[in-house]
Amino acid sequence: YVQFASKAMIMGILAMALNLAVGQGGLVSLCHAAFFGLAGYVLALVAGRYDPPSLLTTLPIAVAASAFAALVIGALALRTRGVYFIMVTLAFGEMMFYFFHDTKFAGGSDGAFVYFKPILEIAGVQLLDLDKPLVFYFVVLALLIGTIALLTMLVRSPFGHALSAARDNERRARALGFPVFRVRLVAFVISGALAGLAGYFAAAQFGFVAPQMLGWHVSATALVMVL
């Protein structure tokens, strides 16, 4: 039950990340599973086979990789609107899926293993060991609360108001001087980074990543959760 609750909270973080784009920005994305799975693959590639990876080094790398992918995809996809945006994000998501599925870069269709759960160690003192289910649960719970706090702050800030204005009436928002493209791109990058955060802990929890983590059905599941 503790592991199930942890998984539910991880998927909740993914859904909240997507909600920033869909609910606040009006950007229906079908590529958030790509950011979710990419962070898991980064953990599997960066972590060693013989020693537990450091949480302080692998987590920022994984989240930064997802944020960078969101920046590149967002910079291209945000030039479209409506159903075209949905199809472009779906296309990019499937491209990343087939990259990991059809190449031997990270195990191909067999996926890759995360042999040890990350640990938090400072000056030789181990503060957190995610191998313990209860510790993992409380870490994910803290991240869930932090995500809620961050998104609440963003939505209530001038940035959040500009994002909502662009969603409700893009032409009027432009006339008022809002940098609509830039606001949407920043929101998309933050959304992708939070999806990567969820993917990192999903891979850490089960010790395995597979191309299916990047599949469109994961994005669709998150979208249903948002709706």
Side-chain angles (χ1 to χ4, degrees):
Y1 287 108
V2 169
Q3 290 182 336
F4 178 78
S6 299
K7 181 181 178 180
M9 290 191 294
I10 288 170
M11 293 304 295
I13 293 173
L14 173 61
M16 286 190 293
L18 181 58
N19 187 51
L20 178 63
V22 177
Q24 301 302 320
L27 306 170
V28 182
S29 167
L30 282 178
C31 70
H32 269 59
F35 312 139
F36 180 77
L38 178 62
Y41 268 104
V42 169
L43 172 61
L45 293 170
V46 172
R49 292 193 174 189
Y50 307 105
D51 296 308
S54 170
L55 188 68
L56 289 177
T57 56
T58 56
L59 179 58
I61 293 173
V63 172
S66 295
F68 179 74
L71 176 64
V72 174
I73 293 174
L76 298 172
L78 286 171
R79 301 180 188 278
T80 61
R81 296 290 182 271
V83 69
Y84 300 104
F85 178 83
I86 298 173
M87 299 308 295
V88 169
T89 55
L90 175 62
F92 276 113
E94 289 300 284
M95 285 169 59
M96 292 186 65
F97 167 80
Y98 282 108
F99 172 77
F100 284 101
H101 186 275
D102 293 348
T103 66
K104 298 299 181 182
F105 174 68
S109 59
D110 295 329
F113 287 98
V114 180
Y115 294 94
F116 297 96
K117 286 184 171 60
I119 61 172
L120 178 59
E121 191 175 69
I122 298 177
V125 179
Q126 185 172 310
L127 302 178
L128 290 174
D129 183 5
L130 298 184
D131 198 39
K132 299 176 180 178
L134 203 59
V135 173
F136 188 92
Y137 168 84
F138 282 113
V139 169
V140 174
L141 177 61
L143 290 171
L144 179 72
I145 295 170
T147 302
I148 293 171
L150 173 64
L151 293 177
T152 301
M153 181 183 68
L154 281 176
V155 168
R156 294 179 178 178
S157 69
F159 170 81
H161 293 301
L163 184 62
S164 297
R167 174 199 64 196
D168 295 337
N169 193 325
E170 180 180 347
R171 184 175 297 178
R172 186 174 182 183
R174 290 183 184 277
L176 291 171
F178 289 116
V180 172
F181 179 83
R182 192 188 315 161
V183 167
R184 285 176 168 170
L185 182 59
V186 171
F188 196 77
V189 170
I190 295 173
S191 179
L194 290 174
L197 176 68
Y200 176 93
F201 281 93
Q205 181 178 19
F206 298 107
F208 180 73
V209 288
Q212 286 72 24
M213 286 182 67
L214 294 88
W216 68 268
H217 63 281
V218 177
S219 294
T221 300
L223 185 59
V224 170
M225 293 173 69
V226 170
L227 294 175

